[in-house]
Amino acid sequence: MRKFILGSMLSCAFFGANHLNALEVTVDPFGYLGVLYNQGIESSPHSYIGLSARAGANFMLDNNWSLGLGAIGAWSVFSHKDDNAPYKSSGDISDAYVKYNTQRLKFALGRYNTDFLEFDWIAGNIQGVSVKVFDYHKWNYWGMYMDSMLYNGYQYSGDQGNRIATDMNALAAYNPTAKKSYVGGEVIAGGVDYTYKGFRVSPFVLIDTQLPTLTKGVLVQVGAKAGYATNFANTFKSTTLLRGMFQYGDTDGLAGDDLAGLIWIDQAFKHKIFNFGAGFYAILGADGKGSLWTFSDRTRFYGRGINSPGVPATYFANSTITGYLFGGLETNRVKVDAMVAFGIYQEYSLMADYKVWQYRNMKFNAGGGYVYSYSSKAMNSIGSSSLLFFGKFSY
């Protein structure tokens, strides 16, 4: 980080004549350079090497405002297919934002990371505006408008951590072509979070004005999450989550029943460096087609990020009933995720990340793993079986 002093004239130009004193600015650079090798293990397997990079800086002012600017790019280094599918070269301005951050109010406008909302179904960088208000009586209120999103496979996954290497396996920019494929229209969402001791309840509403399907039409989702976290025996932490959602939208592009629903139960335990647990979910749809349309999610699966990057997720296809077991560990240097899912959606995944080197805020991580994922309701965009290796320098 570096600190600079802006003169009073610059202060006046940006923040009004009443801010006559000099402002201190902290510059926080961020970015990474990563390479990923994805090798299919099946008949007619896929095989590609992708290089991705991101660079930017956050300029934090001492009056709670901050400005940010960053760029991202992905390049197909090798592919056994002539059109470089499925790893496409792309690039865009990833970050261009204004933020305001206090204990009572968080606000962001432009192209920015929206994880601070803690919304289960939209994460990572979007183009739009978000606001979150904190109340002293354990209530939080949030709302957002999303015009487009930066899709790179990023999965923000709560207590077990983000999915390893998924943010290097794809890139779809904010441009109109990608917007039509992933977002469609304009998205408005809002909700409330209520926390009392170990309990938390979070209802929400999401509206997309036009689905990116053949028949298009509006998407409406109404849902909630209820959770309870507690410690017992001094060393164990238990987290129980129950999610539910009602959806109206023609997600299959065909005439028929446009209603769908979600029931999802997840139980996790954490003991020192280890985590483990189980879950069950069902996607209800009368016609057996279509899907729960989610831009991102907090599942523990790797099938979306590795074998089928994009929107919607293959494991959220209608009429899917699946149970799963998971486990892993995390230390200062090593992170391991393991998963077995059985039912309509199936997954067997083992992914590992090792911190090879670190100096201050710079580090180099390497790792790999294997992901098998299959659904009889939806095809993977890459393949059902992937052996993965990666390296990533970040700062």
Side-chain angles (χ1 to χ4, degrees):
M1 294 186 181
R2 298 181 179 178
K3 294 184 177 180
F4 300 91
I5 302 297
L6 296 182
S8 59
M9 292 182 62
L10 185 59
S11 174
C12 293
F14 282 95
F15 303 101
N18 59 334
H19 293 265
L20 296 178
N21 296 325
L23 287 174
E24 186 177 82
V25 180
T26 301
V27 181
D28 186 13
F30 61 86
Y32 66 81
L33 175 64
V35 60
L36 178 144
Y37 173 41
N38 192 326
Q39 174 63 60
I41 305 176
E42 53 193 313
S43 59
S44 302
H46 61 273
S47 177
Y48 60 88
I49 299 174
L51 180 69
S52 59
R54 189 173 183 176
N58 184 35
F59 301 86
M60 297 176 288
L61 312 183
D62 61 2
N63 61 357
N64 300 315
W65 287 91
S66 62
L67 309 172
L69 186 65
I72 191 170
W75 299 268
S76 178
V77 177
F78 162 79
S79 175
H80 80 289
K81 296 184 178 180
D82 294 335
D83 61 354
N84 291 330
Y87 197 98
K88 298 286 189 178
S89 298
S90 181
D92 207 344
I93 300 298
S94 59
D95 302 82
Y97 59 78
V98 176
K99 291 183 179 180
Y100 181 74
N101 186 5
T102 68
Q103 292 184 344
R104 297 294 304 275
L105 175 66
K106 294 182 185 294
F107 169 82
L109 171 67
R111 295 180 175 183
Y112 59 92
N113 186 292
T114 192
D115 288 356
F116 69 91
L117 295 183
E118 298 182 277
F119 183 37
D120 283 356
W121 307 110
I122 296 179
N125 275 46
I126 71 165
Q127 178 173 280
V129 59
S130 298
V131 62
K132 188 171 185 178
V133 179
F134 298 83
D135 182 55
Y136 288 132
H137 299 288
K138 306 184 185 302
W139 292 90
N140 299 330
Y141 309 90
W142 64 270
M144 67 176 300
Y145 161 75
M146 180 174 73
D147 171 68
S148 187
M149 65 182 291
L150 182 75
Y151 184 85
N152 64 341
Y154 173 73
Q155 290 291 94
Y156 177 64
S157 300
D159 65 304
Q160 204 184 19
N162 301 334
R163 306 295 80 195
I164 297 170
T166 55
D167 61 343
M168 296 190 294
N169 200 38
L171 180 61
Y174 297 99
N175 61 57
T177 300
K179 172 184 168 68
K180 289 179 181 179
S181 299
Y182 294 108
V183 180
E186 311 302 310
V187 177
I188 300 172
V192 177
D193 300 321
Y194 175 72
T195 304
Y196 179 73
K197 294 184 178 179
F199 291 94
R200 179 168 179 171
V201 179
S202 304
F204 75 91
V205 176
L206 181 147
I207 299 173
D208 188 343
T209 59
Q210 181 175 289
L211 276 165
T213 57
L214 294 175
T215 56
K216 303 186 185 299
V218 68
L219 172 74
V220 179
Q221 295 177 336
V222 179
K225 174 177 66 176
Y228 178 67
T230 186
N231 295 316
F232 61 93
N234 296 323
T235 58
F236 280 88
K237 179 182 178 181
S238 169
T239 303
T240 305
L241 293 174
L242 173 62
R243 294 177 175 92
M245 185 192 298
F246 167 80
Q247 173 181 283
Y248 171 80
D250 186 12
T251 58
D252 59 7
L254 302 173
D257 198 323
D258 298 336
L259 303 180
L262 164 70
I263 300 172
W264 182 7
I265 301 171
D266 185 274
Q267 174 62 54
F269 297 97
K270 188 171 185 179
H271 175 65
K272 297 182 179 179
I273 66 172
F274 301 99
N275 66 81
F276 56 94
F280 166 86
Y281 74 93
I283 307 297
L284 311 174
D287 62 1
K289 299 188 176 80
S291 63
L292 200 72
W293 194 276
T294 60
F295 302 100
S296 64
D297 58 68
R298 290 204 186 190
T299 67
R300 305 176 188 278
F301 301 135
Y302 276 90
R304 180 183 208 165
I306 302 301
N307 290 340
S308 192
V311 177
T314 55
Y315 42 74
F316 281 150
N318 277 357
S319 300
T320 293
I321 299 176
T322 291
Y324 57 87
L325 302 172
F326 66 90
L329 63 87
E330 185 170 7
T331 69
N332 184 48
R333 281 190 172 273
V334 180
K335 179 181 177 183
V336 177
D337 289 332
M339 153 73 67
V340 176
F342 43 90
I344 301 296
Y345 174 75
Q346 302 169 20
E347 178 174 317
Y348 311 100
S349 57
L350 177 63
M351 292 290 293
D353 183 352
Y354 178 70
K355 187 189 299 180
V356 179
W357 170 85
Q358 182 171 11
Y359 178 72
R360 295 182 179 176
N361 65 328
M362 298 182 294
K363 60 182 180 179
F364 178 74
N365 290 55
Y370 173 74
V371 177
Y372 169 83
S373 61
Y374 172 78
S375 171
S376 60
K377 299 290 183 177
M379 293 290 293
N380 288 327
S381 58
I382 293 178
S384 61
S385 186
S386 291
L387 185 64
L388 202 76
F389 301 96
F390 71 90
K392 185 177 184 181
F393 168 77
S394 59
Y395 59 92

